[in-house]
Amino acid sequence: GALSHGGEVAPDEILTRISLDDGPWGPWGRERSTSLKNASAGLHTIAVQSKGLYGQFDPLGARTSYTVAPPLLLRPAVLYPGLFAFLGILGLSGTLLWRKRRYDLELRAREDRYRMITELMSDFAYEETVGADGARTVAWISAAFSTITGLDGRGAQESDLLARAVHEDDQEVIEARSATLASGRPCESEMRMKTADGGTIWVRDYAIPVREQGSDRVTHVYGVVRDIDQSKTDEQQLRAL
């Protein structure tokens, strides 16, 4: 009203224009509103000029300021806790991956030491994996197995090589061995193994089960086998006297 000079211009006839953030003035018009939807987050200023009856106007115009809040996710109260949480999760994930990598390397080193020691202490050694259904598969067996029996141990991972190598008359020994190992107890057994030439040899098997962490289920079996065929032959000869 004041800029219309005491009613010389009716309020709805007053020409106005605006400037945002000290930018260029817009065109004169009779609009009484403007869109600020594209304004960026932060503090902004708006200036308004109006013309009197004879075209006079205040060069500075009437000024005010307003603040556009940032999106919710970019507000400090939300952004900083979320950022810290993300960095925490990222750091934890990195720590867990590093620990798993170190554990895998340590486990591999222990397995390599185990294999070297058991090969020195026995005629041959092996590792069995035990499935959820109790089925056993030879995951690894030392090369001496082939030397002693003449059988090919390279296909060990495809079938239960040890069970197939045991003589049919000693399958009850294998069944008792399996039951003992499934209970989590070590087992020592004497049995006959078949050889590639159709013969048999007596062996003594000593197996140790390994349980799954936090469970009673046996997942691996480590074993060593010694050739006792000569001692069995000597024992039978002594009994025959």
Side-chain angles (χ1 to χ4, degrees):
L3 294 178
S4 65
H5 293 274
E8 293 176 352
V9 181
D12 57 352
E13 294 296 325
I14 297 176
L15 295 175
T16 62
R17 65 178 182 178
I18 65 172
S19 169
L20 296 177
D21 296 328
D22 296 321
W25 291 95
W28 293 100
R30 293 184 174 85
E31 292 80 6
R32 298 295 183 261
S33 64
T34 187
S35 175
L36 303 175
K37 63 181 181 180
N38 293 324
S40 60
L43 181 65
H44 297 273
T45 59
I46 182 170
V48 181
Q49 292 177 332
S50 60
K51 280 187 178 182
L53 180 62
Y54 303 107
Q56 70 277 23
F57 58 87
D58 182 356
L60 296 178
R63 302 174 66 87
T64 187
S65 61
Y66 63 95
T67 300
V68 176
L72 181 62
L73 293 178
L74 295 180
R75 297 178 187 177
V78 176
L79 176 62
Y80 293 153
L83 181 60
F84 292 150
F86 172 76
L87 293 176
I89 293 173
L90 187 63
L92 178 60
S93 299
T95 300
L96 293 176
L97 289 174
W98 175 77
R99 288 182 177 178
K100 184 180 185 302
R101 174 62 176 168
R102 186 179 66 177
Y103 171 79
D104 291 342
L105 293 175
E106 291 176 352
L107 180 61
R108 185 177 302 173
R110 288 198 298 267
E111 289 178 346
D112 290 341
R113 287 195 298 269
Y114 165 80
R115 291 177 181 180
M116 288 188 293
I117 293 172
T118 51
E119 287 189 22
L120 292 173
M121 296 176 59
S122 62
D123 290 312
F124 71 85
Y126 62 88
E127 174 192 354
E128 289 181 309
T129 58
V130 185
D133 58 353
R136 287 186 171 85
T137 301
V138 176
W140 166 82
I141 195 166
S142 60
F145 169 80
S146 298
T147 303
I148 295 172
T149 65
L151 301 175
D152 187 3
R154 290 175 296 177
Q157 295 180 344
E158 300 176 2
S159 60
D160 192 345
L161 185 63
L162 290 180
R164 292 191 298 107
V166 173
H167 193 274
E168 290 79 2
D169 292 342
D170 290 337
Q171 288 302 313
E172 291 184 359
V173 177
I174 287 293
E175 293 174 2
R177 170 184 178 272
S178 297
T180 301
L181 294 173
S183 69
R185 293 175 292 142
C187 181
E188 184 174 351
S189 310
E190 291 185 0
M191 63 193 79
R192 286 165 291 180
M193 298 191 92
K194 294 179 288 188
T195 59
D197 60 4
T200 60
I201 58 169
W202 279 97
V203 297
R204 179 179 292 115
D205 170 74
Y206 185 73
I208 300 176
V210 178
R211 297 180 188 270
E212 185 177 36
Q213 187 174 5
S215 171
D216 290 334
R217 190 175 78 84
V218 174
T219 58
H220 291 78
V221 174
Y222 293 96
V224 293
V225 177
R226 293 200 67 85
D227 180 355
I228 60 170
D229 194 64
Q230 186 60 50
S231 62
K232 278 289 186 179
T233 300
D234 295 341
E235 181 181 335
Q236 291 171 357
Q237 290 176 349
L238 287 175
R239 289 179 178 178
L241 295 178

